Each structure stands twice: as structure tokens, then as C-alpha cells.
Amino acid sequence: MSDTLQIIDESGKKVGKAPRLKRETLLRMYRAIVSTRSFDDRCMKLQRTGRIGFSIPNKGVEATSVGAAAALDAAQDWIAPHYRDFAMMFYLGIDVNGMFDNMFGNADDNAVGRQMPVHFSFRDPVNWLSISSPLGTQIPQAVGVAMAMKQRGEKGIALTTFGDGSTSTLGFHSGLNFAGVFGSPVVFLCQNNQWAISCPSEEQTASESYAIKGEAYGIPGIKVDGNDVLAVYRVVSEAVKRARAGEGPTLIEAVTFRMGGHSTSDDPSRYVEQSEFDAWEKRDPLFRFETWLKSEGHLDDEKIAAIRAETDAEMMAAAKAAEAKPRPKLGTIFSDVWEQMPPHLDAQMNACISHFAERDEAVDEKGEFPL
Amino acid sequence: MSALEFKLPDIGEGVHEGEIVRWIVAEGAAVQEDEPVVEVMTDKATVEIPAPASGTISKHLYGEGDVANVGDVIFVLDQGGGGAAAPAAPAAEAAPAAAEAAPSPAPAAVAAPPAPAAGGGTLEFKLPDIGEGVHEGEIVRWIVAEGGSVQEDDPVVEVMTDKATVEIPAPASGTVAKTLVAEGEVANVGDVIFVLATSGGGAAPAAAAPAAPVAAPASNGAAPAVAAPAAAVAVQPADPNRKVLAAPATRRLARELDVDLSTVAGSGPKGRVKPEDVRAASAAPAAPAAAPASAPAPSAAPAAAPAAPAAEAPAAALPNFPQIMGSREVEEVPFRGIRRKTAEAMTRSKFTATHFSLIEEVDCTDMVEARNTAKKVGERYGVKVTYMGYIMKATAIALQEFPQLNAELDEERGVIKVKKYVNLGIAVDTPNGLVVPAVKDANLKSILQLSADLMDIANRARTGKLKPDDFADSTFSISNAGNIGGVLATPIINFPEVAIMGVHVMRKMPRCVGDDIVARQVMNLSISIDHRLVDGADGARFMVRVRELLEDPSLMLL
Amino acid sequence: MVQAVNDGLRTIMKEDESVLVMGEDVGPKGGVFLATENLTKEFGKERCFDTPLSEDGIIGVGVGLAMNGMKPVCEIQFQDFIYPAFDQIVSEAAKMRYRSGGQYTVPMTIRTPYGGGIRGGLYHSQSGEAYFAHTAGLKVVIPSTPYDAKGLLISSIMDPDPVMFFEPKALYRAGREEVPEGMYTVDLSKVREVTQGGDAVVFCYGAMVPVCTEAARRIKESRNKDIRVIDLRTLMPLDEEAVLQAARDCGRVVMVHEAPRFCGYGSEISALIAENAIEYMEAPIKRVTGFDTPFPNTLENYYLPDARRVFDAIEEVLDF
């Protein structure tokens, strides 16, 4: 378990056998990481100017997200994600406009402005389960999703992601236990970014690693360098292959580092030593992947600059578009609770709408009437 | 170049304030969108706040080390040139504004009506919102003076608001200990206007105590008869301070049977009134003490019939214009209440609707004859059938045929609202100024009914007894001011309606009938229409139709 | 009633292949109350299977199954054991449709025996329906007869939203009646008039229905008053109109449940009537409920409302 698989080392040099990937795929992986940095940057600025309420920085963990995403078949696999996997979304081609609609909670948001930002939910181009704030709840759900596919004889698998903190939840235990017992086609990907908000890994568990916890459930546990996009890709690919072949679940621990706060409301300098930041800065997954791609002749500085400019512009445009959209209508407070609105709720909705219409407060800050 | 006031956002979840650690961009310096402007430390973190748009930082409103609240403007950004950066401006302001708006409680000003105190005590009476959304009211008259005693529900003060003049009743029995606003002064909704020393705990025994004994004799000749009925019906004199025990269903029954529960002695536990008690009381010949309050203690007497003098007043009390006595004095009359409201409404109408006026002459000879007959019939019902009744009827019929005149323009939503009902606003000249209450559903009413409604509404208008609802939703107005004098007028539309009709003086005039010149009863009708919505030709056709109906009133039966 | 539940499960499993039964001991053993007897034998262990002893796992996995095309019927062995799954029920199943704007839904039924009467003490007797009726997004259904148990269960399983199906274990082997063979449904959100009458109305559900019916019979016998007993059947969404109509008709109301009183379901009924039909009330609304204590063991018969307590409450409102 002490062996952590690595293919590209911290200096960007190849130290293991690289998986065979097309140049196009490699560049798509690279672009997903760069997009995530642009997205993060845009969201931070939107939040600091009060235009959105909240965001989750993703800097540092992108290689884990992208390496895993590249191992999936979006057409049939399901993802039960946690909230720090933006790069996975970019790799899978989830619409950035839809992501910003959620950040602003506008009328086009799939969550209809009901959730905080970053609680994405998508059906296309992949089943990206609605993200929950309570931690670990998605883990047994992924097992259920996988069991349904197995039951119907489908080849899809479920990937569920979670942080190191979530390994302490009830969901982690029951999810892994059920998957072990039922041999469900699930891949459990633990993004060990060292910190659960301010709780360090050594205070989260007394186990020698997170990967070793699989053993207790009869599930293989594998530890991988989470900042090495190719290593993550390889490990997740193998786990996916096992699951598809009916050989059961796998637990993967990707060792990485959250190079920012837990959220936009968090100040990590209160609890993370600067020396730790500095140490991990040297292992930055973007730098590492970029260096390797350059050495392989897939990228040059000019192209890098062009991609960065493009993703920055893309995020700026998507943010402005989402900001310009109206808020959801007032009635959406009441819809989607049940498939059919019961009479008591209908009465509450009507009372609410006429109340705010009478108070002349039904016009929102953009001068729109959300009724 | 537009100035953007940047408000400190909630940069954590639920942060309320932040300390300005460092101004990264100095006053007067230029900044690009997204560049950090200031470093702010909150309870949760220290963060850099980027510029929401490009421009020049024209002002810092807080020094380094100062603490700003979320929502405070912390700097002003002059945006160079506008252009791309512009859209950010409203948004940056919008977010905090929205946050403030969200949980806002019901306006504090709308004070709940004070509950009558059970025992003795003082009660501060705050001016309530007596219209919908009225903010102030002028104290017209103290009906009960300081020191005067008053029964619950008796009027204490007359208050004039933008919408109506109303009498405010006492919330409890007692003595008016203090009046805080003088006659002619304006009080805001929520201001305490008088203090009531409530009776019950002995604070003002003078008022409460005599009431009960006086009650019985006061009920005129009926009293002996009532005492007689055998048996079951236990009746007791009303006591406003007694708490009646009764289940909600019993209370409903009492309302339905018009039984005053306070006069019914309950047969249930603790004297609780039961449904059968109410039924028995209802079956009894008369409620003997039904109106005890009308024979109050002597001290309350002046308050007993306050409405009466007010109703007679208009004839005597001429408008209070300054008497010109040859001096150079200028009297300043406060510009408020109905006068100001009228001014605002007229201005809005005149500057919004494109007025187009038209005059039609109506030969009323036949109508005068018809009305003379109808008048006798009306007397049987106690209704004075008036020419206005005919005019309203004709107008209502014509409006159904020309609905474009019975409409309203909603410019914001880009629709013309054509009303499927006819509520006729009637301009009434009152001592306090012009008011336009509406006779509702005029198209469904007979000439007799319209005459009755008009009489009622005009009376109430002149005595200041109109309710806010009387003003609501007029669809077309008629001004009858012309009967004072004048043969023509170009009335101003009662905006947002689209038309108003003026009714002018009726007089005998020589007119041609066939080839003969004969004396006829002639009257002019004028109409002003909003030319944006109604073409002149339609206005003319409408007037022709009204004329046709008035010249031969039997057509109105069709 | 337990056979009706079993029949209901069998009927819908035949009808719809996506229906799965899962929970602790539901397989070969057929459940601790034998509600799932023979289902594994008949449909195989893919359709009816035992799970590890983990309520959180049963419901969490059930949510996943439901989101991906299945209609899981999860059994929680005793309602008292449901709390580890509270997060999955309240934060996940109940809110999935809402938080995903209808992209993901949870057509799941959670069956669980509830209530006292089996000498189960404080962990085999609880009535926690109010927790779930308080949660937007859930439906709460409680049958009181074998006919309703089957019909309501089939309706619940076919419902597009998560349903909490509380089975009154005290009645599992009590009330017997013929239940029609094959498919039929009973509408959710419709009350059942158990007895007719206009002198007072008693609202109840689950195991309290026969208790209240007995009390009504005694009132008729001793005072010749006709008491209307209404079985609410679906607590969420509630058939509010029917409740208000009965309250208006009778003017005197008693509400009975075995769950504790404070913030219990009876409070809602009482408030509903107070807000919408107060002027029809001839007497205060009375509640007969369990006490505001944990559920006792030895003294359970003193805790559970019985016909005498309900009788007394009806007398009180009649005599007010």
C-alpha cells in the first residue's frame, strides 16, 4: 500500500509506462485543467464582488478529476460526484453555460436556483447526479445506481467521488459494504486532498491510508499520485474495466492537495502552514502535465497561451450570460416538491404570489416580474 | 462616465462586516476589471476584492483599519467610457440590495389596532393606515375633546387622508386623556394621536358605571312588554365589559340570527352561552337592551351623534378662502390631501393622455317628460329619479357597444385592458374638493337603481363618509360640474381611463322641428377621449349613440 | 393484514419488473413479520434480497436504484430503527426532485412496521410519522385494513415520489377481511369514512382506527349519538377538504393517535380546523394521544389510547 503509482514525476519527467492515449485526448485533458483554473478564477472574482454567493476552489486537484473522467464512457456510465470535481465536468463536455447558470441560480439553472452554487445536476452529456451538501450520501446511491445497471444486464458502471473527510461518514461505510457484498460495478474514488476543511488527514483516520480501508470490505484498494493525470487515468481505467467485467468494485485513493481554501468563505492560512503550500506548489498537476506534454511535442508556449486566453474568455462570456438571465419565477419555490402539486401547496403558492404582488416587491432587482 | 458605488458584499456565508486592511488601488488611480482594489479582513478570511469594472477609483469611503458593514459603499469607481464594463454596474449593486430585501418584515408602521384593555389603564392610539397604503392623515376635528369620555366604538376624531375623510372610533371605553395632534395638523400613520384612559379598573368609573342602570329605562315603551314573556329567555342588560363565553359555532349562530350575545344569559357551565340560548333569545319579541349605548352617561352625550352636524355642515361652511380685506397679506394654505392628490392626478392625465374633445347637443324634451312620470314612481321607493340616472344608463349602454372607451392602457405590459364591466366614476364636488367615487356595474342597473346609487354616493361624498372601496376601479367617468353653469367644457380624463363625459346645463332653446321653430329642452354633452386609444370618429359615434338614447329614452328599454 | 401486504407486493412484482424488495431478513426468511414471505422463492434473489444490517445503506442504495429506473420497496424492520437512514430519507430522497429541477426522481417506497401493542418497549413500538409528514417531498401513508393495505401499498409503489408506508404492526394479525385477488389500487390522499354520524367526528389512522370505532359504538349504545370515524389513511398529502367538511358537519372533533401529543399529527389537524372552520366548532378540539414520553414496555397498555379514553374524549366534546 505504500507504493503510490506515478507515471510523470514532479518535474514533468516520465518515470513509468504511459498509457496509450491519443494526442487529441491528452489535449482535451489538458484543456479541462486549464478551464478549471479559469473557472475558479472567474468564480472567485464574482464572489468577491458579491455577484455570486459561494464557490469551491478546485486548484490542485484537477489531475485526479480529469484522469478519472477520461477513463469513463459518458454514454453509459453514471457519476455520483462530490463538489470538488469541476475538471471532470469540463473533460466530459458539460456545458459551461449550464454550470454558470447554477453559480448564479438563475431561471435556467437545472437546480432552479434552489441549491447553493456548485451543486450541479446534469443529465447530458452524462448522468451527473445532483450534488448534495451533506457528505457521503452519494456513495450508497452510486451503489444503487450500479446495481440497477447490473440487474438489467447493462454494461455501465458508476463512479462516485468524495474527499478524505467523507471516508468517516455513514455513507462511506454502508456504500462500500453493500458494494462489496453485492459485487456492484462501482468505482470509489477518494480525492485525498489532505484537508477536510481544516481537519488534516492524520486527524481524520488512524488507518495508514484511505486505500487500505477497502480491505475491510473485501474491495481492492489502490493508492495513486493524484497530481499525476496519467497515473490516475491508468488506475481508474483498470477499476472501470474490472467493474464492467463483473469483477466488482474498487476503492482508489488519489493523493493530492487542495491548493486553496475549502470554499470562498474559508481562509486556509489559518490552519495550513505556508511551507506545506510551497511544497505542493512544486507538485502542481498543471505544471507537471504541461511540461510532459511539451516534452512530447504536443504543446508549446504559444499554444499554451492561446488555450489560456480562450478559456478565460469563455468563462467571462459564460458568466456574463448567466448573470444577465432572470431569476427563477416565484412559483418555482413550490414546484418539483412532488410530481403533482397537492392542494395545500397550491394554496400556499397562490397566497405567496399574491402577497408579494400586493407588496409591490414582486419586481426583482433587474426590474423583472418573477411571477 | 458613470460612477459605480461598490458595496461591501457578503464574502463569507453570513459575514456582516469587514475591516479594510489595505487599499491596493489609491484614490484617483486607474484600475482594470478584475484587478484587486482592496484587501478586506472578515471573521472568516482575509480576501482581496477585485474591481467589478474598469475605471478610476474616485473615492475611498473607509480608511485602512476601519470596519465596514456588509452593504456599505466602500469605494466609488468612475467607469471610463462605459462600454463593456457597464453591465457590471447594476449587478454589483443588485446583489446586496436583494439580500436586504429578502427577509424584510411587514412594515412596522402598520400597527395592529390596539386591543381594548380589559381593566383600567391607558392606551396610546396610533393613527392606523385607514386606506390601503395611506401614509398620513390630517386631523379635521376632535369629536371628543381632551377629558371627554367615550364608549367603545364611538367616534373620537375625524381624519382626512388622500383617499377619504373618516371617523375613527374609540378602541375601548374610557376618557380621552390627551389629544396629541391639533386640528388641521397632519399625523403620520403610526403616530400616537390620542391617549385613552380606559375604564374597567376604576380609572374612569364615571363613564362606565352609570351606563348599565340607564340602559333599561332608555329602551322606551317596549320595556314593560319585554319583562313579561314567560320563562326561558333569560335576558340581561348589555355590559360592554363583560366577556361573553360562547363556542365559535354559537357566535356564528348569534351573528346569523342577529342576536347580541352580551344580552343573552348563558345556560352552560360558567354561564357559557349555548346555541339553544341564542335560538331562544332570537325567538323572543325584542332585544330590550339592544341599544344601551345610545343612552350613555351624560358626559358622553356630545359624542352620541357626531355625524349629524357634519352632514349638515357643507351648506353653511363655505370654503375657507382668505378674505380679501385690502391688506397685502398672503395666506399660505397647505397643499395636501385631496387638493394635492387632484393636482397630481390632473397633471398626470394631461401630460399622458392625448386629449381630444368633442361637444354634442342633445334635445332632452322627451327625456324630461319621461322623467316627470318616473319621478312619481320613484317616490314610492323613496328614490329621487334624476336626469343623471338617464344619462348614466345611456352611457352604460353605449359603452357596451363602444368598449374601446371603457378601457385602460397598461404601457408597461404593452396591453390595452378592455373592461367587461362598467363602473361609472361620478365627479362630485365636495367641501373638501373634487372626488370621483364609482357607481359599480352600471350596465346591470335600472335607471331607478342608478338614481338611488348616485344619491347615496353623492351624500356620502359630501359628508366625507366614502370608503376606499367606493373609489376603486372606475372604468369611465362623468363630470356633472357643468350644471353649475357653462355650456361647454373640455373635461380632463380621470386617468388611466380613456374617456370622460361632461354634462352641461339644460335649458329651453329655440330649435327647428320640421320647419317650425319651437322651444325645446336642450343640453350639451362634452367628451374628452385619449386619442392614443380611441379615434375621433369612434368618439363621435359614441356620442351620437348616447344622444340617440337620451332623445328617445324608450330605446333604453331595448 | 400482513398477508394483504404480502399479496400486494406479489401482485405489483408480477406486474412490474422494476419493483425490487430489499431489506434485512426479507429474503428466504420472509421478514420478521413474514410480510415478504415466499417472494424470493417466487421472484428470485435479484428481485427480493437480504441486505447488510444498515438502514442508511438500504435507503441510500434504494435512492440510487430509484434514480436509475427501478422501483425499490425498502423494508426497515422496525420504524424505531429508521433513524440512521433519516439523512438519506429527508435530505436525499425527499429533496432529489426539487434540487435537480426534476432531472432525478426517487420512486421508492419505504415499508416499516410502526406502533405499539406487541410489548416491544421503546425500540419496537414507536410512531414517528410526524417526522416524515413534516418533510416536504415525502408522502406518508398508513393503512388500517387489509383491503387498504394492499391497495394503498400498490398505489405507493406506483407513485412517482418517495412514500413512507407505515404498517400498524398491532393489526398485522388482527382485523381479517377478504381481499380481492390481483391488481387494484386505493387512491392516496383520500380519507375513508369508517362510520357515519353527525354528532361528533373522530379522526384517526392505523391501529387507532379499530379503537375509535369501538369507542363510537359504545357512544351509540350508551347515548344514542352517531359518531363519524374518519380514517385519514394518507397523512401527507392530506385530504384537507374532507377533514374540514367532516369538522363543519359535526362541529365537535376528537383526534386520536398513539404517537406523542406535542407537535404530533393531531396538532396539524387541530390547527387546520381552527384556521378554516373555527366558526363551526361547538366545542374545543380534543386530542387523545400517547404521552410525551418515550414508549414504555410493561405499562404499554396505559400509554396507548384505548376505547375508554377515546370514549371519554367524545363525551367531553358532546357535553361541552
Side-chain angles (χ1 to χ4, degrees), chain C residues 229-246:
Chain C
V229 174
I230 300 266
D231 177 2
L232 297 174
R233 299 202 291 197
T234 303
L235 305 198
M236 183 51 125
L238 174 66
D239 187 355
E240 290 190 349
E241 220 16 76
V243 169
L244 290 173
Q245 193 52 54

PDB file of all heavy atoms in Angstrom, chain C residues 229-246:
ATOM      1  N   VAL C 229     -66.411   8.262  12.325  1.00  0.00           N
ATOM      2  CA  VAL C 229     -64.985   7.932  12.459  1.00  0.00           C
ATOM      3  C   VAL C 229     -64.365   8.027  11.085  1.00  0.00           C
ATOM      4  O   VAL C 229     -64.837   7.418  10.126  1.00  0.00           O
ATOM      5  CB  VAL C 229     -64.793   6.523  13.052  1.00  0.00           C
ATOM      6  CG1 VAL C 229     -63.308   6.148  13.056  1.00  0.00           C
ATOM      7  CG2 VAL C 229     -65.358   6.457  14.473  1.00  0.00           C
ATOM      8  N   ILE C 230     -63.307   8.842  10.975  1.00  0.00           N
ATOM      9  CA  ILE C 230     -62.634   9.038   9.691  1.00  0.00           C
ATOM     10  C   ILE C 230     -61.217   8.485   9.787  1.00  0.00           C
ATOM     11  O   ILE C 230     -60.438   8.894  10.651  1.00  0.00           O
ATOM     12  CB  ILE C 230     -62.553  10.538   9.328  1.00  0.00           C
ATOM     13  CG1 ILE C 230     -63.951  11.154   9.234  1.00  0.00           C
ATOM     14  CG2 ILE C 230     -61.724  10.751   8.075  1.00  0.00           C
ATOM     15  CD1 ILE C 230     -64.558  11.190   7.882  1.00  0.00           C
ATOM     16  N   ASP C 231     -60.898   7.560   8.896  1.00  0.00           N
ATOM     17  CA  ASP C 231     -59.542   7.019   8.782  1.00  0.00           C
ATOM     18  C   ASP C 231     -58.798   7.886   7.762  1.00  0.00           C
ATOM     19  O   ASP C 231     -59.159   7.914   6.586  1.00  0.00           O
ATOM     20  CB  ASP C 231     -59.654   5.558   8.309  1.00  0.00           C
ATOM     21  CG  ASP C 231     -58.288   4.920   8.088  1.00  0.00           C
ATOM     22  OD1 ASP C 231     -57.265   5.592   8.330  1.00  0.00           O
ATOM     23  OD2 ASP C 231     -58.257   3.744   7.663  1.00  0.00           O
ATOM     24  N   LEU C 232     -57.785   8.600   8.221  1.00  0.00           N
ATOM     25  CA  LEU C 232     -57.112   9.559   7.326  1.00  0.00           C
ATOM     26  C   LEU C 232     -56.332   8.861   6.212  1.00  0.00           C
ATOM     27  O   LEU C 232     -56.156   9.386   5.132  1.00  0.00           O
ATOM     28  CB  LEU C 232     -56.175  10.469   8.128  1.00  0.00           C
ATOM     29  CG  LEU C 232     -56.876  11.355   9.161  1.00  0.00           C
ATOM     30  CD1 LEU C 232     -55.834  12.102   9.985  1.00  0.00           C
ATOM     31  CD2 LEU C 232     -57.821  12.338   8.506  1.00  0.00           C
ATOM     32  N   ARG C 233     -55.788   7.702   6.491  1.00  0.00           N
ATOM     33  CA  ARG C 233     -55.077   6.853   5.512  1.00  0.00           C
ATOM     34  C   ARG C 233     -53.811   7.476   4.921  1.00  0.00           C
ATOM     35  O   ARG C 233     -52.766   6.847   4.904  1.00  0.00           O
ATOM     36  CB  ARG C 233     -55.996   6.424   4.367  1.00  0.00           C
ATOM     37  CG  ARG C 233     -57.168   5.616   4.808  1.00  0.00           C
ATOM     38  CD  ARG C 233     -57.730   4.785   3.680  1.00  0.00           C
ATOM     39  NE  ARG C 233     -58.360   5.597   2.655  1.00  0.00           N
ATOM     40  CZ  ARG C 233     -59.203   5.109   1.751  1.00  0.00           C
ATOM     41  NH1 ARG C 233     -59.497   3.810   1.749  1.00  0.00           N
ATOM     42  NH2 ARG C 233     -59.749   5.880   0.844  1.00  0.00           N
ATOM     43  N   THR C 234     -53.902   8.688   4.363  1.00  0.00           N
ATOM     44  CA  THR C 234     -52.713   9.356   3.830  1.00  0.00           C
ATOM     45  C   THR C 234     -52.505  10.636   4.628  1.00  0.00           C
ATOM     46  O   THR C 234     -53.322  11.536   4.565  1.00  0.00           O
ATOM     47  CB  THR C 234     -52.913   9.689   2.339  1.00  0.00           C
ATOM     48  OG1 THR C 234     -53.200   8.486   1.649  1.00  0.00           O
ATOM     49  CG2 THR C 234     -51.652  10.304   1.752  1.00  0.00           C
ATOM     50  N   LEU C 235     -51.411  10.673   5.397  1.00  0.00           N
ATOM     51  CA  LEU C 235     -51.168  11.848   6.228  1.00  0.00           C
ATOM     52  C   LEU C 235     -50.541  12.970   5.420  1.00  0.00           C
ATOM     53  O   LEU C 235     -50.680  14.144   5.742  1.00  0.00           O
ATOM     54  CB  LEU C 235     -50.240  11.500   7.401  1.00  0.00           C
ATOM     55  CG  LEU C 235     -50.649  10.338   8.316  1.00  0.00           C
ATOM     56  CD1 LEU C 235     -49.881  10.419   9.617  1.00  0.00           C
ATOM     57  CD2 LEU C 235     -52.136  10.333   8.583  1.00  0.00           C
ATOM     58  N   MET C 236     -49.812  12.588   4.373  1.00  0.00           N
ATOM     59  CA  MET C 236     -49.214  13.614   3.503  1.00  0.00           C
ATOM     60  C   MET C 236     -49.206  13.058   2.101  1.00  0.00           C
ATOM     61  O   MET C 236     -48.608  12.003   1.902  1.00  0.00           O
ATOM     62  CB  MET C 236     -47.805  13.966   3.981  1.00  0.00           C
ATOM     63  CG  MET C 236     -47.151  15.067   3.181  1.00  0.00           C
ATOM     64  SD  MET C 236     -48.211  16.481   3.037  1.00  0.00           S
ATOM     65  CE  MET C 236     -47.237  17.772   3.633  1.00  0.00           C
ATOM     66  N   PRO C 237     -49.852  13.721   1.143  1.00  0.00           N
ATOM     67  CA  PRO C 237     -50.680  14.901   1.327  1.00  0.00           C
ATOM     68  C   PRO C 237     -52.017  14.530   1.950  1.00  0.00           C
ATOM     69  O   PRO C 237     -52.543  13.458   1.678  1.00  0.00           O
ATOM     70  CB  PRO C 237     -50.892  15.435  -0.084  1.00  0.00           C
ATOM     71  CG  PRO C 237     -50.171  14.532  -1.018  1.00  0.00           C
ATOM     72  CD  PRO C 237     -49.743  13.326  -0.263  1.00  0.00           C
ATOM     73  N   LEU C 238     -52.527  15.450   2.752  1.00  0.00           N
ATOM     74  CA  LEU C 238     -53.769  15.202   3.483  1.00  0.00           C
ATOM     75  C   LEU C 238     -54.966  15.644   2.632  1.00  0.00           C
ATOM     76  O   LEU C 238     -54.896  16.643   1.931  1.00  0.00           O
ATOM     77  CB  LEU C 238     -53.730  16.016   4.781  1.00  0.00           C
ATOM     78  CG  LEU C 238     -55.009  16.013   5.632  1.00  0.00           C
ATOM     79  CD1 LEU C 238     -55.280  14.623   6.194  1.00  0.00           C
ATOM     80  CD2 LEU C 238     -54.891  17.023   6.759  1.00  0.00           C
ATOM     81  N   ASP C 239     -56.040  14.904   2.757  1.00  0.00           N
ATOM     82  CA  ASP C 239     -57.300  15.262   2.104  1.00  0.00           C
ATOM     83  C   ASP C 239     -57.955  16.349   2.963  1.00  0.00           C
ATOM     84  O   ASP C 239     -58.884  16.103   3.721  1.00  0.00           O
ATOM     85  CB  ASP C 239     -58.176  14.009   2.030  1.00  0.00           C
ATOM     86  CG  ASP C 239     -59.443  14.220   1.223  1.00  0.00           C
ATOM     87  OD1 ASP C 239     -59.704  15.360   0.797  1.00  0.00           O
ATOM     88  OD2 ASP C 239     -60.160  13.223   1.016  1.00  0.00           O
ATOM     89  N   GLU C 240     -57.431  17.564   2.850  1.00  0.00           N
ATOM     90  CA  GLU C 240     -57.851  18.648   3.759  1.00  0.00           C
ATOM     91  C   GLU C 240     -59.331  18.953   3.626  1.00  0.00           C
ATOM     92  O   GLU C 240     -60.012  19.232   4.613  1.00  0.00           O
ATOM     93  CB  GLU C 240     -57.053  19.920   3.472  1.00  0.00           C
ATOM     94  CG  GLU C 240     -55.598  19.802   3.873  1.00  0.00           C
ATOM     95  CD  GLU C 240     -54.862  21.134   3.819  1.00  0.00           C
ATOM     96  OE1 GLU C 240     -55.417  22.111   3.282  1.00  0.00           O
ATOM     97  OE2 GLU C 240     -53.730  21.186   4.327  1.00  0.00           O
ATOM     98  N   GLU C 241     -59.822  18.921   2.419  1.00  0.00           N
ATOM     99  CA  GLU C 241     -61.216  19.293   2.198  1.00  0.00           C
ATOM    100  C   GLU C 241     -62.142  18.335   2.937  1.00  0.00           C
ATOM    101  O   GLU C 241     -63.116  18.749   3.554  1.00  0.00           O
ATOM    102  CB  GLU C 241     -61.510  19.333   0.693  1.00  0.00           C
ATOM    103  CG  GLU C 241     -62.398  20.474   0.260  1.00  0.00           C
ATOM    104  CD  GLU C 241     -62.552  21.619   1.272  1.00  0.00           C
ATOM    105  OE1 GLU C 241     -61.645  22.450   1.442  1.00  0.00           O
ATOM    106  OE2 GLU C 241     -63.611  21.640   1.917  1.00  0.00           O
ATOM    107  N   ALA C 242     -61.795  17.042   2.882  1.00  0.00           N
ATOM    108  CA  ALA C 242     -62.644  16.051   3.556  1.00  0.00           C
ATOM    109  C   ALA C 242     -62.605  16.251   5.073  1.00  0.00           C
ATOM    110  O   ALA C 242     -63.621  16.116   5.751  1.00  0.00           O
ATOM    111  CB  ALA C 242     -62.182  14.647   3.198  1.00  0.00           C
ATOM    112  N   VAL C 243     -61.431  16.569   5.588  1.00  0.00           N
ATOM    113  CA  VAL C 243     -61.312  16.804   7.031  1.00  0.00           C
ATOM    114  C   VAL C 243     -62.160  18.006   7.438  1.00  0.00           C
ATOM    115  O   VAL C 243     -62.923  17.963   8.406  1.00  0.00           O
ATOM    116  CB  VAL C 243     -59.829  17.020   7.417  1.00  0.00           C
ATOM    117  CG1 VAL C 243     -59.705  17.535   8.856  1.00  0.00           C
ATOM    118  CG2 VAL C 243     -59.041  15.727   7.241  1.00  0.00           C
ATOM    119  N   LEU C 244     -62.052  19.082   6.670  1.00  0.00           N
ATOM    120  CA  LEU C 244     -62.797  20.291   7.018  1.00  0.00           C
ATOM    121  C   LEU C 244     -64.294  20.072   6.876  1.00  0.00           C
ATOM    122  O   LEU C 244     -65.084  20.561   7.684  1.00  0.00           O
ATOM    123  CB  LEU C 244     -62.344  21.458   6.121  1.00  0.00           C
ATOM    124  CG  LEU C 244     -60.929  21.948   6.435  1.00  0.00           C
ATOM    125  CD1 LEU C 244     -60.489  22.978   5.404  1.00  0.00           C
ATOM    126  CD2 LEU C 244     -60.874  22.553   7.833  1.00  0.00           C
ATOM    127  N   GLN C 245     -64.677  19.309   5.856  1.00  0.00           N
ATOM    128  CA  GLN C 245     -66.101  19.060   5.659  1.00  0.00           C
ATOM    129  C   GLN C 245     -66.671  18.302   6.857  1.00  0.00           C
ATOM    130  O   GLN C 245     -67.722  18.649   7.381  1.00  0.00           O
ATOM    131  CB  GLN C 245     -66.329  18.284   4.352  1.00  0.00           C
ATOM    132  CG  GLN C 245     -67.785  18.272   3.917  1.00  0.00           C
ATOM    133  CD  GLN C 245     -68.376  19.691   3.872  1.00  0.00           C
ATOM    134  OE1 GLN C 245     -67.820  20.575   3.230  1.00  0.00           O
ATOM    135  NE2 GLN C 245     -69.462  19.922   4.598  1.00  0.00           N
ATOM    136  N   ALA C 246     -65.941  17.271   7.278  1.00  0.00           N
ATOM    137  CA  ALA C 246     -66.407  16.485   8.425  1.00  0.00           C
ATOM    138  C   ALA C 246     -66.464  17.357   9.679  1.00  0.00           C
ATOM    139  O   ALA C 246     -67.408  17.269  10.471  1.00  0.00           O
ATOM    140  CB  ALA C 246     -65.483  15.291   8.645  1.00  0.00           C
TER     141      ALA C 246
END
